[in-house]
Structure formats: C-alpha cells, structure tokens
Amino acid sequence: MSHAIAVITDVHGNYHALKAVLSRLDKFESVERIYCLGDMIALGPNTNEVLSELFARSDVSMVLGNHEDAVLRLLDGQRSDESEEAFLHHQWVAQGLAGQYADLLRKLPRSLTVRHGNSTFRFLHYHLGDKEQFLPIENDVTSERLDSLYAGQDIQLVGFGHHHPVHLLRSPTRIYVNPGALGCNRQAQARYAVVDITDTGPHVRLEHVTYDNTEFLQLYDKLDVPAKELILDMFHGERAL
C-alpha cells in the first residue's frame, strides 16, 4: 500500500498559512508524517500559536532554523551578527516567546536522517558545514553542486528550506527539494511538498493552498511588529491593511 510524507519549511510565525496547510494535509490519509524544516518563528507575529500547533501534534518532526538560533542566543544573553532591525525584531520575538517553547526548541536537532520505504532521507534547514553551521545561500545552485556536498552519503532525498523560493533538483543518485517558504510569499499561497513513498523510490509533488491572509497582515500594525515595513515589503509584497 502506498504512503507519503509531507515537507514544510519557513512557517515564519504565520499561523494562518500553517493552519491552511495542516487542514489540507489532514485530508490526505496517506500522509503519515510531516517534517518541518526550521524557521518556525520570527518575521510573522504568531510565534507562540505556530509552536503550540506544531508541538501538539504527534506526527510532526522539526529541525532548528537560523531564526530559532538567533532567538535562543538572545535568551542566553548572546547576540547574533545581524542588522539592528533584525536584532530588534528577534528581541521582540524572544520577549514574547512562551517559556515552555524555549526549552522545547533547544532540544531540536539541526538535521534528521530517516528511513521511509527503501529510501533514506536527510532533512535540515539548510546545508551544513563541517562545524554544523549553515552554509551561505547559493542562488544558482545545481544538482552537481549539491551532489558534491553529499558525496559518499547513502541518501536518496535531501529536504531543505531557508532559501524561500521553490527548488526541485534531481541528479542520477538523489532528489533535492525545497518546497518554498510556507509562511512568506508575495501571494496568499502557503507552499508545501508531498513525497510519495513507492517501491521505485520517492516521488515529489509540489503543492500549495490558497488562504485568506487579511487578518495575518493586519496583525503587523495591530501588534506593532518591529521592522514590519521591511518584512512586509520583502516577504509579502504588500503592507498591512
């Protein structure tokens, strides 16, 4: 019997988009597990709501992203190498973060290697260097370049996020998929991927669900989110109403 997993990433505090995707996925009885690839928090105003939803589910596995890293460092009295606007925004997120979620986030791994069917998958927020640091984003990455990063590893699919556009690359030995940021899109579309597990290997379907983002955008003004104008212009293409 065929089954599937789902991949989501970069929710970025957008509870409305997350709920739209989870409601859609819950209708797919064949989806047995959801992998969330970091940056659940920040940028959007619903950090606690997003984390409450994800940690309450028994079918979700998560990894840490760079925004979780930045906020956890602030909670530990450290500061990331970031702009003043990013610092003020992360400080606002850290101050509003419910206490139980800091401890839960600290327990999350930076990557997961899992087996589904006859294939091994690696899930992470972005490709990691020798010291488990996130590598710089490459805008024109190729499957050959990614194959060089994962050379010698018995992995049939690598799932990642961080870079918000969609990526689906195939090499002779491996599939690389970034479903695109779920919570940051210039259109009111929440993106995700479904990976069908078959005897011949994984098959990726890129999907999205349209949702009403009106209330979400209004929250930027209502909550006076730091760096709101920059965030809305860069990641949503429109201002809060």
Side-chain angles (χ1 to χ4, degrees), residues 217-229:
L217 293 175
Q218 289 174 335
L219 285 173
Y220 282 89
D221 276 339
K222 183 177 181 180
L223 300 176
D224 196 20
V225 176
K228 62 185 177 183
E229 292 187 357

Side-chain angles (χ1 to χ4, degrees), residues 61-101:
S61 297
M62 288 175 272
V63 298
L64 276 178
N66 57 291
H67 283 274
E68 285 84 25
D69 270 352
V71 168
L72 289 174
R73 278 197 291 269
L74 282 176
L75 291 173
D76 292 336
Q78 305 171 27
R79 177 172 173 175
S80 302
D81 182 16
E82 58 188 0
S83 69
E84 186 65 17
E85 281 191 314
F87 166 70
L88 291 174
H89 180 79
H90 284 143
Q91 187 179 56
W92 179 80
V93 173
Q95 289 171 346
L97 183 69
Q100 69 268 27
Y101 298 131

